[in-house]
Amino acid sequence: MSLLTLENVTLKFGGLVAVNNVSFHVGEGEVFSLVGPNGAGKSTVFNLISRFYDPFEGDIRFQGDSILKMRSDQVPSLGIARTFQNIELFEQSTVLQNLLVGRHRHRKSNLVSEIFFAPSVRDEERRHRAVVEEVIDFLELQAFRDKYIAGLPYGVRKVVELARALATEPKILLLDEPASGLSVEETQDMIFWVEDIKKQMGITVLMVEHDMSLVAAASDRVLALADGKELAIGTAAEVQSHPAVIEAYLGTGGRASDE
Amino acid sequence: MRFVFKRSYDADIKLFKHRPQALWYLALFIFVLALPWLVDEFFLGEATNVLIWAIAGMGLMLLVGHAGQASLGHAAFMAVGCYTNIIMIERGVPFLISFPLSGIIAGFVGVLVALPVLRLHGIYLAIATLAVSVLSDDFIVILEPWTGGVTGLVAPNIDIFGLEIDRYGTPVEFYFLTLLVTLAVLVGYRNLLRAPLGRAFTALRDSEISAQAMGVNIRRTKAIAFGISCGVTGLAGGLLGYYATAFNNETFNLVLSIQLLLMIVIGGLGSIHGAFFGAIVIGFLPQFIAITRDGISGVLGLGSVTIPGIESGVFAVILISFILFEPLGIYGRWIKIRTYFELFPFYRKNMFKRQKSFLKTERMR
Ligand SMILES: Nc1ncnc2c1ncn2[C@@H]1O[C@H](COP(=O)(O)OP(=O)(O)OP(=O)(O)O)[C@@H](O)[C@H]1O
Ligand SMILES: [Mg+2]
């Protein structure tokens, strides 16, 4: 069954067509990757799904319903969580506090009960914490729980961002270049995690990634974009060997295998 | 060296981190309760003044230090709280109703003022709120039938079920009333910070874009931050009215707004402690300057000279020194000293090398 569907989506920034008539669907339980050279429009697709931009044309549907009427802060409540290419964490907060913000969509308390810290708020806090602790265990972040983000190395921040997205208990996880800037070992961990997220947690993953080892190892299907247009769709191997994809990468001076 | 072992999630939810900390606060609490019997009336008045500053400081700290929204207009909300309270009292509303209500009204005015400027960030927001501060002066003059215009109003004695409270006549009672309000605000503030809304505020401060991606409604959360902040500041304004006993449009001028902001920067942005440390500095600075001035002129045999503008000058010097040498404020320095002793002898010099950037503009991607 299709969880997330993009239908003929187009977005222009002034004269630049960043996303050009793109259609694809992500099936439930699938790991779907977007690849393409720099400036292909991959992050823009994420920002469209997050409702940071209104598409010029087309429709975006989640579980069959259009999300174009929603504000960007309502999107997470559907069960759509994401990470950012350039890490957007809450720098002046601890790892724990960052993950707890991920619980915001499950907030049931109101202003008054929180000012008095009513027993219901306390119970909620314990439940949120329990979920967050599971995520911390899963991603092995125990040592960093009470550390401030501003003092953490890059690789750990990447994992914290993934953790925060998981703490929202999403149905679909949007990962924007989860392995960029990671060491070989860290990338290896990321491959395992993405597999576990799919298999054990049953969360659908839509991922933008340049590292073909991760794409090939983790993805069920891959869509290649260039200059906002779809080039090819299929398994990682099919897409990598597709003439249009090779051409697009050569055209921008990179290679499909190591970009 | 101290290790804190956490045995349950409640360790992070509780008001106090560990028993020694709770004991310290208990000692402090007993001290402030006993203060009227420890010091003379003049000093008690100064302590009351510091508490009023601290309430206003907490109000502004929530907005600037936690939600990351600048405001140079908070004197205006003190004015709203002060005037609405006295206006209601003059029309026969009992203090126990008029005082909380004046805070709520100030909060609502804050939301109304904030709504059109919610899209603004950093320096632009500061300028917009600055305009509020400037305008409030005119408004007070225009609304003369209620506010007394430039002549101003005189605060009558507080009457709580026949208990008359007057800043000069019954300074002890006035101190305890102020202390009670301070504690109420303090507990509410602490509670908010450990609840989802408090975390949404800090999320807003650090990254609007990902706060949004986590489901935080930016506009609403900002409006709530403004509302609570202005409401609390309004309460401080109400108390300031009684403290000053008489006030007019000049009482709540732009300088007061700036002093409020200075206070929380000096105290340390982003912590409740900062509001209190800042309040102590701002509250005692005039006395401190007067004493040093008299001392210096005494030594030099100059008699009692007054140098105009010396207070603002000293303020400016203190502020600039803080921004240059201690951007984390007094609280930041305190944390460093404490960590030094807690970790002794393992403290490293670069342990606190993390930059604070509260007024950063919105980024994308
Ligand atoms: N807010 C914006 N305003 C104007 N142009 C933009 C904006 N965001 C993206 N673009 C442009 O849209 C195009 C697609 O950008 P996008 O960030 O989606 O690329 P990408 O595929 O994620 O590339 P990369 O691999 O470098 O992350 C680029 O040419 C970019 O310059
Ligand atoms: Mg990108």
Side-chain angles (χ1 to χ4, degrees), chain A residues 223-236:
Chain A
L223 171 68
L225 291 175
D227 295 326
K229 288 194 282 283
E230 297 166 43
L231 290 182
I233 189 164
T235 64

Side-chain angles (χ1 to χ4, degrees), chain A residues 5-22:
Chain A
T5 313
L6 270 78
E7 245 170 39
N8 306 101
V9 174
T10 299
L11 181 74
K12 295 180 187 170
F13 292 115
L16 175 88
V17 189
V19 176
N20 194 347
N21 201 23
V22 168

Side-chain angles (χ1 to χ4, degrees), chain A residues 47 52 71-73 76 84 88 90-92 100 104 111 114-117 125-126 129 133 146 150 164, chain B residues 6 9-10 12 191 194-197 199 203 205-207 209-210 212-217 354-355:
Chain A
N47 289 340
F52 292 152
R71 286 192 318 267
S72 53
D73 59 86
F84 293 83
E88 284 285 343
F90 309 119
E91 293 267 318
Q92 311 298 336
L100 283 170
H104 195 84
L111 174 61
E114 288 183 18
I115 285 180
F116 290 100
F117 211 74
E125 283 300 301
R126 288 191 187 123
R129 181 68 189 271
E133 284 301 326
D146 293 320
R164 187 181 60 182
Chain B
K6 295 176 181 169
Y9 299 157
D10 283 0
D12 288 323
N191 283 345
R194 55 186 175 147
L197 190 61
R199 288 193 296 265
R205 173 190 76 194
D206 288 353
S207 167
I209 202 78
S210 66
Q212 220 163 350
M214 294 297 126
V216 176
N217 183 336
R354 54 188 172 94
Q355 87 287 14

Side-chain angles (χ1 to χ4, degrees), chain B residues 74-139:
Chain B
H74 260 52
F77 303 106
M78 285 188 99
V80 174
C82 179
Y83 275 100
T84 49
N85 179 43
I86 298 299
I87 290 170
M88 281 189 276
I89 296 260
E90 281 180 343
R91 278 149 189 77
V93 181
F95 174 80
L96 284 185
I97 294 174
S98 74
F99 183 67
L101 198 56
S102 67
I104 293 171
I105 293 174
F108 271 106
V109 174
V111 173
L112 281 184
V113 168
L115 284 178
V117 298
L118 282 184
R119 288 204 63 86
L120 302 180
H121 291 265
I123 191 78
Y124 301 101
L125 184 61
I127 292 169
T129 51
L130 183 88
V132 174
S133 213
V134 174
L135 281 178
S136 68
D137 192 332
D138 298 328
F139 265 104

Side-chain angles (χ1 to χ4, degrees), chain A residues 38-44 85-86 176-177 208 210, chain B residues 365:
Chain A
N38 295 108
K42 306 176 298 287
S43 299
T44 307
Q85 184 170 352
N86 296 330
D176 200 344
E177 308 204 5
V208 167
H210 284 300
Chain B
R365 284 179 310 278

